[in-house]
Amino acid sequence: SCPVSLWVSWVPRRALIGYLPQEAQAESDETLEDYLRRMVGLSDIEIEMKILEPSLEEPKNLEQYELLRQEYTRLGGDNFTRQSKNVLDGLRLAHIEPHRFVAELSGGEKRKVALAGVLLRGADILLLDEPTNNLDLRSLMWLERFLNHSTALCIIASHDRRFLDNVVKKVIEIDWHKRDVTMYAGGWSIFAEMKAHIVRKHKEEYRAQEMERERLIVSSDQKMDWVER
């Protein structure tokens, strides 16, 4: 089963969500820079701002322009070049020129580019399914640092137990048969210890029940023998 870092019961109306599916790969005819700008959400905002620029003397257009400008800033548009470089460097993609076309990249590079696009969004909630796929040790360590310093609420599904130990604070076990979830505080190792303790306890309770069952059967048989005599 895949442990999950946190269960969300409430999401703010304007929360920005970044989602990385398990088999995600960047598929695009755009350049690397254009792809990342679109994934972050900057491209659409820039287009809308350019449309409004010739008519900013109209109060309504000016107000809309200012709202777009605020969103552009919130998404990190003013620092995009620096932020994208930091993320690409961390994921060992610094060798790829910004004008390189995404379609030319290898499968592993496309996977990491997709992850970069999700991380650059500055999302309030990150949904990451097997984010460590195709990452070498240096990239993995960088991702751990990134997530530990992120203010986003992270929900992570992963089979990498060491990674989970280093980044998650809660683990959710999903019981598909009972349609139920159980939350455990701590990383994977703490979850594994607690789960092992629960399993041992259940086995002990089962053995005690079986012993009591055998005792009752023997007692019943003895009483039947006494009655028959």
Side-chain angles (χ1 to χ4, degrees), residues 1 21 43 94 98 121 169:
S1 62
S43 299
R121 282 179 63 81
K169 295 180 176 63

Side-chain angles (χ1 to χ4, degrees), residues 40-57:
V40 172
L42 298 177
S43 299
D44 290 340
I45 293 178
E46 289 170 341
I47 292 173
E48 293 185 53
M49 289 173 67
K50 286 182 180 179
I51 293 175
L52 291 172
E53 283 174 356
S55 57
L56 294 181
E57 66 279 359

Side-chain angles (χ1 to χ4, degrees), residues 106-121:
S106 68
E109 289 172 337
K110 289 179 180 179
R111 168 69 181 182
K112 290 195 283 188
V113 167
L115 175 59
V118 172
L119 298 180
L120 280 168
R121 282 179 63 81

Side-chain angles (χ1 to χ4, degrees), residues 55-181:
S55 57
L56 294 181
E57 66 279 359
E58 298 181 22
K60 184 177 180 180
N61 289 346
L62 179 59
E63 180 182 359
Q64 179 63 22
Y65 186 88
E66 290 176 346
L67 291 175
L68 289 170
R69 180 61 183 158
Q70 290 175 11
E71 184 66 7
Y72 185 85
T73 300
R74 187 176 84 89
L75 294 176
D78 297 321
N79 301 311
F80 174 78
T81 300
R82 177 178 59 82
Q83 291 177 352
S84 61
K85 183 179 184 304
N86 289 340
V87 171
L88 292 174
D89 286 352
L91 295 176
R92 305 291 297 280
L93 295 172
H95 62 284
I96 302 177
E97 296 294 333
H99 59 268
R100 179 100 174 266
F101 287 99
V102 173
E104 300 174 352
L105 305 180
S106 68
E109 289 172 337
K110 289 179 180 179
R111 168 69 181 182
K112 290 195 283 188
V113 167
L115 175 59
V118 172
L119 298 180
L120 280 168
R121 282 179 63 81
D124 302 301
I125 300 173
L126 285 173
L127 309 177
L128 306 177
D129 191 353
E130 299 292 352
T132 63
N133 285 357
N134 298 109
L135 298 187
D136 59 19
L137 181 58
R138 284 179 56 186
S139 299
L140 179 59
M141 293 175 65
W142 176 87
L143 179 60
E144 290 176 0
R145 291 193 299 272
F146 181 94
L147 295 177
N148 282 324
H149 286 89
S150 173
T151 59
L153 175 66
C154 299
I155 302 177
I156 302 170
S158 176
H159 286 88
D160 190 329
R161 300 177 181 183
R162 191 194 68 84
F163 172 72
L164 291 173
D165 264 339
N166 291 338
V167 298
V168 307
K169 295 180 176 63
K170 295 181 181 178
V171 172
I172 286 183
E173 180 185 30
I174 302 175
D175 189 322
W176 298 107
H177 298 290
K178 296 181 180 179
R179 297 292 190 267
D180 193 17
V181 296

Side-chain angles (χ1 to χ4, degrees), residues 170-222:
K170 295 181 181 178
V171 172
I172 286 183
E173 180 185 30
I174 302 175
D175 189 322
W176 298 107
H177 298 290
K178 296 181 180 179
R179 297 292 190 267
D180 193 17
V181 296
T182 304
M183 181 180 292
Y184 300 83
W188 170 265
S189 294
I190 294 176
F191 160 75
E193 290 176 6
M194 295 179 67
K195 187 65 178 176
H197 173 73
I198 292 173
V199 171
R200 286 195 300 271
K201 185 178 179 181
H202 286 170
K203 287 182 178 179
E204 290 171 359
E205 291 175 348
Y206 175 76
R207 284 196 294 268
Q209 289 174 357
E210 286 299 298
M211 290 176 64
E212 178 64 11
R213 177 172 173 273
E214 289 297 326
R215 188 189 68 79
L216 292 174
I217 291 174
V218 170
S219 176
S220 176
D221 289 343
Q222 290 175 343

